Each structure stands twice: as C-alpha cells, then as structure tokens.
Amino acid sequence: MSFCTIGISCPELYQTSSPLALSAFSSGDGDATTTSVTDIHPDVLRTHILTRLDGPALAAVACTSSQLHCLTTDPNLWAELCRSTWPSTATQRLHALISEFPNGPRSFFSDSFPRLSYNSETSTSSSPSSATYSRRRHHFTPELISAVDIYYRGEMVFSKVVETETLSGWFRCTPFRIDMLDPKDVVQTPIKFPIGDGNTCWELTEDLTLSWIMIDTAGRRAINLSSYRPVSVQRHWLSGEVHVRFAAVLDGERGTATECVQCGIAVTCGGWEGGNLQVREVNLQVEDLDGTYLNGKDSLVILERALEGKTGRRGRKKLEEFMEKKRERKERTLRREGTLDKVCLAFGFLGFATFLLCLII
C-alpha cells in the first residue's frame, strides 16, 4: 500500500517561493520521490487545497506557478473567502456590488484586507489634492456602505451593513458620524462583564477584533478603516460602561489642521455584574489635529483621497504619532494665545497710563 502527504502552511509559503511539492512514499522499498504540483489534478487542488487557505496564503500560492495562478483567479474562490472573512459582505446587494469590482471579489479582498498598511508619503504625492476634489465635486460618491464585523476570540459577535447617502445638505454640513446601531438596540455577547478590577478590559485588547470596510458604491473601491485590534480599552468610573476604541490615521492637506486625521471607531459596551457585556454603540467619526470632528463634506474629501490612493496608516505607533502632533499643535496654539494676551495687556496698560498722564497734565 502507498500513501502520500501534502503539506501546506502559511509560514512556509511566506518563507519560500518554490512550487508546492508532493512527497510520495512507497511501503515497498521505502524510497521517497518528489513530484511537481502540476501532477495533482486541478479539481483536487481547487476543491480540497485552495479552499482551505486564507487570503495571504492564497495570494502567496498564486505566485508559485502559472497553473496555480490560473486556479487562484477563480471568482467563486475569492467570493467565498470574502464571505468567511467578513460575514457582513454576504448580503445580496454587497455580493452584486463586489462582483462589479475591477477583478471581482479578488479586488475587493485586496482593497479591504491590508488595513491601511501603505506608505503615506508616496500615496499622498500621487493622490489628488483636496482642491482638486473640490473642483471635481460631482465625482463624489453618492453613497458609502459600511460593512462591520466584530469578533471575540475568533467567534463573531456583531455583523452589520449600513448605507450612508452623501448628497444631502444635512450630511455635508453636520459632523460626520456613522452609527451601526439605533439608540435602543443592543447586541448580546459572550464576554463576561468585568467585576471589580478584573482582567476583562485587558483581555479585550487581545481577544477583540474589528473590521470596518468602507465601500465607494460609484467608484467600486473599498478600504478598511480599522486598526483591527483595540488601541485603547477603558471602563467608565461611574456608569461602568466599557469603551473600546479602534483607529486609523488618514493623510489630509499639509499645513492645516487636517494634515492628518484620525478615523476613530468607538464600541461602547454595557451590562451588569454577573452577566455578559452588551454592545450598545458602534460608531465612526473623523477628528483633526485640533480635536474638531469634521463635517460630512470635509470627511468625504479625506475618505475619497484614502479610497483613491490608500493614503493611511494604522497601528498603535501611528496613533501615538498623531496624538503627539495633536499635543504639539495645542501647545503652539496656547503659546500664541498667551503671547497675544500679553500684547493686549501691555497695550491696555499703556493706554491707561497715557490716560492718567493726560489727567495730571
């Protein structure tokens, strides 16, 4: 009797660019032979091997040979991968919309998976300026779709899609904010409510993940605005609510308060001791270096820039850089205001002294 084993693992795919190999061992003489992956029937590869890989591994496999590259371009393979990675994309409308991307589900996965891991300086120089966007106002997308998925220890706890129109004056002039839940809606989770000074808040930084995919319905583009893992988890001292924040930093117009902005995603959880946490709020807002929340029009400029060139950065380090710039800008503002106060005080004193001198004379 003879048998064969096929070994495929993600780390191995990243460490080597050689084609996948099949090792066959014969029980008769004990000799081992290695044959090319092309000896495996394409149907076996497609249905029993490629379907077991995640996105990065599948992309790595596509680079190993022309045959595998051809097999990995199957739209159904990437469509199923999108649905398993982001269950929110399984809706009928998103399924139809994703199929209209330049390369179908493969393009959508490529846009959404990297989570803003691009070089900001290169992207900024190649992206249209905000002034260009203002001149091309009619090119603004008429609608944004947010697809949000929250996982806790690998299990989905929240998944929803929200559509946001962008053409009304109300959207353009009011602070930009997308809420995934109505005020009275709550979502039950398997997460235990923290008791006393428990470790639940700390565990959430490691076990909770969030994906917020913003989709441009007109341009057939997508971008993931989440830091994937929380950048901060805090418990309110009075209400006991747990506030979890995710964030990504997007590039804006240099030399202004929107030189870089923070796309902050806030997840608010409530509950009671002995019970489980309930998700009560999931929202996204865009904040500039002055701490001001941008309105819909200005936020749309930033998002269009990001969708066009992926001009964004993520991770705790990038957020710390944003907070440092924000602090420095606030200090400069306070110094300017302090100097102005001193000048006004000096002029006031000089005027008062002149008035007294006139009275004496």
Side-chain angles (χ1 to χ4, degrees), residues 252-325:
E253 187 175 355
R254 293 184 178 180
T256 67
T258 57
E259 178 180 349
C260 58
V261 300
Q262 176 189 200
C263 284
I265 301 171
V267 179
T268 302
C269 301
W272 56 88
E273 292 189 2
N276 293 344
L277 286 178
Q278 300 173 335
V279 178
R280 296 178 177 175
E281 289 186 14
V282 181
N283 61 69
L284 180 144
Q285 290 181 290
V286 181
E287 179 186 3
D288 66 13
L289 290 172
D290 288 335
T292 303
Y293 290 109
L294 303 186
N295 59 27
K297 177 182 177 181
D298 295 336
S299 298
L300 195 58
V301 169
I302 301 295
L303 291 174
E304 284 280 352
R305 185 193 298 269
L307 286 163
E308 183 70 25
K310 303 297 187 299
T311 58
R313 298 161 289 176
R314 68 180 181 91
R316 190 178 300 274
K317 182 178 179 180
K318 298 303 180 182
L319 181 62
E320 290 175 353
E321 292 177 0
F322 172 84
M323 298 305 294
E324 179 65 20
K325 287 184 178 181

Side-chain angles (χ1 to χ4, degrees), residues 53-65:
L53 303 181
D54 60 11
L58 191 61
V61 167
C63 301
T64 58
S65 70

